[in-house]
Amino acid sequence: MTTEQKHYARSSFSKGAAKLGISILQTAKQPERVFQHGRYFAIPGQTNLETDVVERILATPKVQELLANRPSQRWPDLEDMSAMPKGSLGWCVHRRLKTLGLSFLVDQSQIPESQTDREFAATRFGRLHEIHHTILGLPITVAGEAAATAFYASTGSSPFHIGILSSWMLRGAYEPKERKLIWDAIGFGIAVGQVVPELFSPRWEEGWERPITDWQDELGIREVLKTSPFQDEFATVYGFNLQ
């Protein structure tokens, strides 16, 4: 069997490679300063290879269906979420953010009304990261981010996510006591990806008041969630467990 080989210009891979290496090393050493050290993680996201990956994802039937009928980009505010039924997606998102002392990073007023499919996907994907952490019960720790990034990397093979994952994988070299949990988390993220190929196409915006457990059942991930190394996360943050 032969496959068609694509030839990418060497510069699309090598340009900025040293800077990317710096971000990987510095973030692994000081993950609490990821927003400072991780400024070069965008480099692999600007390659032709990343463009091909994104186009391939956008071309899948479920994503095409979502793009043809885009959900609203106006999300409820945190006060509205707090009033939703206990255990619902919106309530859980609010509960998680309140526990962490965080708020949404995206200013909705700054989102353009007219966006290309790629612009819409990039904006939405960035915002969905909070929902993915919520639905999978992932903490904001190196291990929690490693699980999420392993899911993204294993299902999409994105150079951008693989670059970030490299940093989390290296963290154990600096802090050996964190190594096992990080690798267990990576294994969990990959296991979720074996069950559900992506978490972009579900119409989360139309189901804020649905129980989070209904979402998990619809995705078929309830059983794999029981293998999570973060079993206490649901009980600690949301007040219920998955057993």
Side-chain angles (χ1 to χ4, degrees):
M1 177 183 293
T2 59
T3 58
E4 180 181 351
Q5 297 293 317
K6 288 192 174 183
H7 299 283
Y8 296 96
R10 184 181 297 273
S11 61
S12 70
F13 293 94
S14 60
K15 185 177 181 180
K19 290 182 178 180
L20 174 60
I22 290 172
S23 276
I24 291 173
L25 291 168
Q26 289 185 328
T27 301
K29 186 176 182 178
Q30 296 178 304
E32 70 280 2
R33 300 175 67 180
V34 62
F35 291 112
Q36 174 185 342
H37 295 325
R39 59 189 179 277
Y40 299 129
F41 282 136
I43 290 173
Q46 298 168 355
T47 62
N48 294 334
L49 184 59
E50 177 76 12
T51 297
D52 282 356
V53 168
V54 172
E55 290 179 353
R56 186 162 59 243
I57 293 171
L58 294 181
T60 58
K62 286 187 176 181
V63 174
Q64 280 288 300
E65 182 179 344
L66 180 129
L67 293 175
N69 182 21
R70 297 180 182 180
S72 172
Q73 298 212 75
R74 304 300 298 179
W75 288 14
D77 59 30
L78 293 180
E79 183 178 348
D80 290 336
M81 288 185 178
S82 69
M84 291 178 181
K86 183 178 181 179
S88 66
L89 175 62
W91 184 90
C92 287
V93 169
H94 169 265
R95 181 81 175 179
R96 176 175 176 274
L97 292 173
K98 181 179 179 180
T99 300
L100 295 170
L102 300 175
S103 60
F104 286 119
L105 301 178
V106 175
D107 183 349
Q108 297 192 106
S109 67
Q110 299 301 310
I111 300 176
E113 292 186 6
S114 179
Q115 293 182 304
T116 66
D117 283 349
R118 183 160 182 164
E119 290 169 343
F120 172 83
T123 300
R124 187 171 185 267
F125 187 88
R127 302 176 79 191
L128 290 184
H129 187 65
E130 294 296 342
I131 290 181
H132 298 164
H133 265 268
T134 302
I135 205 79
L136 298 177
L138 304 178
I140 295 186
T141 60
V142 171
E145 295 298 337
T149 312
F151 170 80
Y152 300 143
S154 67
T155 55
S157 295
S158 160
F160 170 71
H161 287 121
I162 290 172
I164 298 173
L165 182 59
S166 298
S167 192
W168 305 141
M169 294 168 70
L170 191 60
R171 174 62 180 168
Y174 289 102
E175 288 294 340
K177 66 180 182 296
E178 297 181 28
R179 179 189 58 79
K180 184 179 186 307
L181 181 57
I182 290 171
W183 283 98
D184 286 348
I186 290 171
F188 171 65
I190 294 172
V192 173
Q194 297 296 307
V195 177
V196 57
E198 47 89 11
L199 290 172
F200 179 82
S201 64
R203 304 183 75 87
W204 308 102
E205 300 90 340
E206 298 170 4
W208 292 112
E209 298 194 14
R210 287 182 58 191
I212 192 175
T213 49
D214 281 4
W215 277 109
Q216 293 164 344
D217 284 338
E218 180 178 308
L219 295 168
I221 59 174
R222 285 291 292 278
E223 288 303 312
V224 74
L225 285 175
K226 295 177 182 179
T227 70
S228 169
F230 310 109
Q231 287 297 306
D232 295 338
E233 189 74 6
F234 284 100
T236 300
V237 179
Y238 312 123
F240 65 89
N241 58 54
L242 298 177
Q243 301 302 321

